[in-house]
Amino acid sequence: MNEQIDNLMNESRRFAPSAEFAAQSVAGSDSYDRGAAGAEFWADQARDLLHWHTPFTQTLDWSNAPFARWFADGELNVSYNCLDRHVAEGRGDRVALHWEGEPGDSRRITYAELTHDVKRAANVLTQLGIEPGDRVAIYMPLIPEALVAMLAVARLGAIHSVVFGGFSAESLRSRVDDAGAKLVITADGGYRKGNVFALKPVVDEALAADGGQNTVTNVLVVRRGNNDVAWHEGRDVWWHESVDAASSEHEAQAFPAEQPLFILYTSGTTGKPKGILHTSGGYLTQAAYTHKNVFDLRADTDVYWCTADVGWITGHTYVVYGPLANGATQVIYEGTPDSPHPGRWWEIIQKYGVSILYTAPTAIRSFMKLGSEIPAQYVLSSIRLLGSVGEPINPEAWIWYRDVVGAGTAPIVDTWWQTETGAIMISALPGLTTLKPGSAQVPLPGISIDILDEAGEKVSGEAGGLLVVTQPWPSMLRGIWGDNDRFRETYWEKFGDKYFAGDGARRDADGDIWLLGRVDDVMNVSGHRLSTAEIESSLVANPMVAEAAVVGAADETTGQAVVAFVILRASEAGKLEPAEASAVLRQHVATHIGAIARPARIYIVSELPKTRSGKIMRRLLRDVAEGREIGDTTTLTDQNVLNLISTQVH
Ligand code: WT7
C-alpha cells in the first residue's frame, strides 16, 4: 500500500488553478491568515456567517477536555439561520430546493415556502409534545419533508436522529431505544430502482418488537409511496392531515450554542453502533464556512447538488445545514443513479443547470464502467466545480471526473472528514491550491492536523503514520450519546489530548496529505462505514453459524467489499450446499442489519486462521479474499489452515 502511494505521489500530475478561477475564488477573497490561531479564526467565521440572537463572548472552552464548548454563552436558532433570516433579508423567492423524484415528478420550493413548511411542522411537533432536548427519529426517503422534519426538530431545540432508510427494523429499533426517541417521522414508502420500498411497515415492525414496549408515543407519516400501511389509532398521525393544516406562524426561540442538534449513528470497532452527538453553534459555523469556501459557493447564481442521502453525515452537513445556512439553491434527488436509465444524473445536471457537484468515488467509478458515451449525450457545461468524499479517490477516477464531467477544466476538491468531525477538515481550496489527483491535500484554515507514529511521535517530512487532529474544532463531536467512556477510549486514549481519527496518512514532499484508509476494523464500502464486528455478530446470531470472520477486501467499484468466512455448526454442515448456505446467510445479514451490510461473498470454511491466543488473523483472510499471496504466517498456530481455506475458497 505505501509503495503504491509512493509511486502515485512521485508520478502525480499537478493542476494549477486557472487565472480566471483564481481571480474570482471565494476562498481567495477571504483575507484570512492561514497561521491565525484556530479559535479566533472560527470566532470570526461564526460572527460573519451566522445570526446570533445573543452574541457570544466566549470562544472555546477546552477546560473539560475532550468535551469542547464553542461560543457557549451565545444563543441562536439553527432553523432560523437556515430559513427565516434569508426571507427577512429579501431572499424569500430564491429556490432552496429543486427536488426530483425517482419516477420523474418534481417540486420547486423557495426559501419562503420552505420556511412556512418548517413552521407548520414545528407547530405539529409541539402539539405532539416535543420539547427542547427530546429525541426524534427520522426514517424517510429523500423527499423535501425529510429536510422539513430535520429543520422543524432543530427549530424546537429538540434532537434528531436520522436513520438511513436502508437499515432494517432491528437496526432502527436499536437506534430508537438507544436515544429514547419519543417520536418517529417516516413515510409510507419511497421510490428506489423503479419500485416503492416500504418504510412505515418497517417502523411498525421495529416498534412491535419486545412486546411493543418502547419510548415512542407517536409516528408521523408522510404519504409518498401510496403503498398500503397499517394504522395504529392514537399513535400514528398523517403528515398531510396535520402539518398541511397547521398554522404557519411560528417564532423561533433562541437556544444556547451548545444545545444538542443531532445524534447520528455510525459503526465502530465493536458490534454496537455509536451515537455521535453534535451541537448547534460550532457545528453550523464550520458547516457554513466549509460549504462556502470549499465549494466556492456563489449563493445567488450557483446550483449545487450533493448526491448524499440525509441518512449520512454528508447529507446532514452538505445537503441540509451548510447549503441552507448559506442560502444556496440546490438539487436533491430521491432515487438511484440508474433509474429509469443510466443517464439519470447527467439528465438532472442538464435540467437544472447544476454548477457544483459533490459525490463519492464509488459513484464515479460505476459511471466510468458504463462508459463516457452516456454523459456525452447531455449538456454538462454548467458544471464549474466538482467534489469528492467518502474514501480516497484513485487518480484514474479523478481524471475521468475532471475530463468527462468537468470538461477538463473544473477543479476537484477531495474532501476528507468523518461523521465525528461534522464537517470538512482536509481539502484543497479551489482557486488557491494546485490540485493533485489522489491527495486530499491540506488542512483547512483553523484546523490543525498531524501525522504520528504508533508511539505518538510526530513523523516529519515525507512519511506515513496515523492521522490526528491536534486542536479542537467547532464542528467536532461532543461525545457518544450515553457513553462518555467509549468516547474517551475510542478517540482520545491513544494519544492523550489529540483526536485519533482511525485513518492512516502520508505526507508528501510538498506537505500534501494522502489518506491511506482505516487502520482499525472498520470497513469502507461505497463510502459507507461498516464494522467487521457488527457483521460477525450478526452472522453468529444465525443458528447455522459456529464462527465467523469478516474482512473488507479491495473492490474495483465499491472500494471495499464485505467478505465473510463462516464455519457452520457440525449439526448444520451437511444440510445445505455451501452455495445455498452462503445465500441464506447473505440474506440473513441484510435482514438483520440492512441491505448495505449484505456480504458480497461468504465462504463456508472448516477452519479460521488464529494466533496462539485465539485471535482471528484477519490480515491473512484479506490476502485470501483478494487472491494475493499469503503474508507472514509465523504467528499462526496451524500452518495448514490457510492451505485448507485457500482450496475451499478458490
Ligand atoms: C471515513 C469516515 C465524511 C463523510 C463520508 C464518510 C473515509 C472520508 C475521505 C477522503 C479518504 C476518506 C475515512 C474516514 N474518508 N472521506 N476524501 N479520502 N478517505 O463518513 O462514514 O464517518 O467515514 O471515511 O476513512 O475515516 P464516515
Side-chain angles (χ1 to χ4, degrees), residues 266 313-314 388-392 414-420 440 501 503 515 517-518 524 527-529:
T266 189
I313 190 68
T314 309
S388 172
V389 64
E391 55 174 314
D414 175 3
T415 60
W416 179 88
W417 58 296
Q418 307 177 298
T419 304
E420 292 87 342
D503 277 330
L515 278 307
R518 303 286 309 193
N524 187 327
H528 298 311
R529 202 198 286 198

Side-chain angles (χ1 to χ4, degrees), residues 20-93:
E20 305 97 270
F21 203 105
Q24 295 174 32
S25 119
V26 170
S29 66
D30 266 1
S31 52
Y32 59 77
D33 168 7
R34 260 186 189 276
E40 284 316 311
F41 170 82
W42 289 117
D44 289 344
Q45 302 309 321
R47 288 187 203 101
D48 277 5
L49 295 166
L50 304 185
H51 172 87
W52 294 86
H53 279 71
T54 311
F56 56 89
T57 63
Q58 302 159 6
T59 296
L60 166 65
D61 176 1
W62 192 230
S63 58
N64 184 31
F67 298 91
R69 292 166 63 78
W70 282 87
F71 317 129
D73 64 344
E75 289 185 322
L76 79 169
N77 184 291
V78 169
S79 169
Y80 181 92
N81 269 279
C82 293
L83 300 165
D84 310 49
R85 67 164 164 151
H86 299 311
V87 179
E89 291 166 16
R91 295 184 289 277
D93 291 337

Side-chain angles (χ1 to χ4, degrees), residues 344-394:
R344 193 65 204 275
W345 275 21
W346 320 122
E347 179 184 69
I348 292 173
I349 291 172
Q350 173 179 294
K351 176 172 175 186
Y352 296 104
V354 170
S355 56
I356 303 171
L357 177 68
Y358 188 32
T359 192
T362 184
I364 300 164
R365 289 191 300 264
S366 327
F367 290 129
M368 272 175 83
K369 257 201 202 159
L370 294 173
S372 312
E373 316 81 74
I374 297 170
Q377 292 161 23
Y378 299 87
V379 179
L380 306 180
S381 56
S382 53
I383 292 282
R384 64 175 197 90
L385 187 100
L386 298 168
S388 172
V389 64
E391 55 174 314
I393 176 165
N394 48 310

Side-chain angles (χ1 to χ4, degrees), residues 195-217:
N195 297 310
V196 171
F197 68 98
L199 289 167
K200 168 70 162 61
V202 182
V203 174
D204 290 340
E205 185 190 338
L207 298 183
D210 286 346
Q213 291 299 306
N214 58 62
T215 52
V216 173
T217 47

